[in-house]
Amino acid sequence: MKIFDPINTPLTGTNLIEASAGTGKTYAIAGIYLRLVLEEHLTTDQILVVTFTQAATQELKDRIRNTLLNAKSAFSKGSSGDDLINRLVKKHENTALAVRLIQDALIDFDNAAIFTIHGFCHRVLNEHAFETQSLFDTELVTDQTDMAREIVDDFWRNHFYNMPREFISYTDKKISAVRNIFLRFWQKKMPRI
């Protein structure tokens, strides 16, 4: 196992980074984003950042934007109090190009591809409806409880309403247990998004 170095880690290929809470993942991602802008000359719409929650997405957007702002200032002044940015300033000789690349990224930052997994999947399905053979108005459902309840209710109406009174009376007494069992079964079978 190697210690992660956001300045020297390769920007190509695959890197698996395992980190606990509070270890600086957001800081590292912002640093790698800055490196992609500076070293690979990628624009904000060419860099994809995917995370789990809306809160994490907003935190990443804020952190990346602030890192870009701080880097622009650091390249203009020649140094920074942030170690990662300071090392990048020393690493890159063409400060005018660096400032221009960062400024372009900041101008276009509203188009930055920073999503939750759910948001990214939704975007791909909408933008590539033909390739994914999905409908143009596909909606991803994260909580399937209401859908499962509707299916259970439909099943009940279709299979139990025409049964003999005695059976319905017995089942009615057990209805909450039957529905809960069926809902739990259904939730296990439904794919998670």
Side-chain angles (χ1 to χ4, degrees):
M1 178 171 68
K2 292 191 259 179
I3 294 179
F4 180 69
D5 179 9
I7 295 293
N8 296 310
T9 196
L11 295 175
T12 59
T14 302
N15 290 294
L16 173 64
I17 303 168
E18 184 177 346
S20 302
T23 56
K25 292 183 294 294
T26 305
Y27 178 80
I29 291 169
I32 290 172
Y33 195 100
L34 176 59
R35 283 187 60 209
L36 289 168
V37 169
L38 292 173
E39 296 172 21
E40 300 295 322
H41 299 202
L42 295 179
T43 59
T44 56
D45 63 334
Q46 294 175 309
I47 303 170
L48 173 64
V49 180
V50 179
T51 188
F52 291 100
T53 65
Q54 285 287 1
T57 301
Q58 191 55 50
E59 181 184 356
L60 273 169
K61 284 181 181 179
D62 293 343
R63 179 68 66 93
I64 292 169
R65 184 187 299 263
N66 287 335
T67 299
L68 291 170
L69 285 167
N70 292 338
K72 180 183 171 196
S73 173
F75 274 98
S76 298
K77 289 191 261 181
S79 68
S80 171
D82 182 295
D83 182 54
L84 186 142
I85 294 174
N86 201 41
R87 288 170 63 192
L88 285 172
V89 168
K90 291 177 183 173
K91 186 176 178 180
H92 295 279
E93 296 174 7
N94 190 342
T95 57
L97 175 62
V99 170
R100 194 190 86 230
L101 291 169
I102 295 168
Q103 180 62 33
D104 289 347
L106 285 166
I107 288 170
D108 202 33
F109 197 75
D110 287 339
N111 295 323
I114 304 171
F115 299 107
T116 61
I117 294 170
H118 177 268
F120 175 68
C121 291
H122 189 260
R123 179 179 175 182
V124 168
L125 289 174
N126 282 340
E127 289 182 3
H128 303 282
F130 286 120
E131 294 92 339
T132 60
Q133 298 179 359
S134 61
L135 301 173
F136 286 104
D137 59 352
T138 297
E139 180 182 337
L140 295 180
V141 178
T142 56
D143 182 5
Q144 301 161 347
T145 306
D146 290 339
M147 189 183 325
R149 188 169 314 281
E150 185 178 337
I151 291 167
V152 169
D153 290 343
D154 286 345
F155 181 83
W156 178 262
R157 281 189 293 275
N158 290 331
H159 291 84
F160 288 86
Y161 277 13
N162 295 326
M163 298 301 259
R165 250 178 205 265
E166 296 80 19
F167 183 77
I168 292 174
S169 178
Y170 173 79
T171 308
D172 192 36
K173 292 175 186 173
K174 306 290 183 182
I175 191 169
S176 65
V178 171
R179 282 190 179 185
N180 288 337
I181 290 169
F182 192 78
L183 275 173
R184 282 196 303 270
F185 171 78
W186 184 259
Q187 287 170 342
K188 287 180 184 175
K189 296 295 181 190
M190 290 290 285
R192 297 276 178 213
I193 297 176

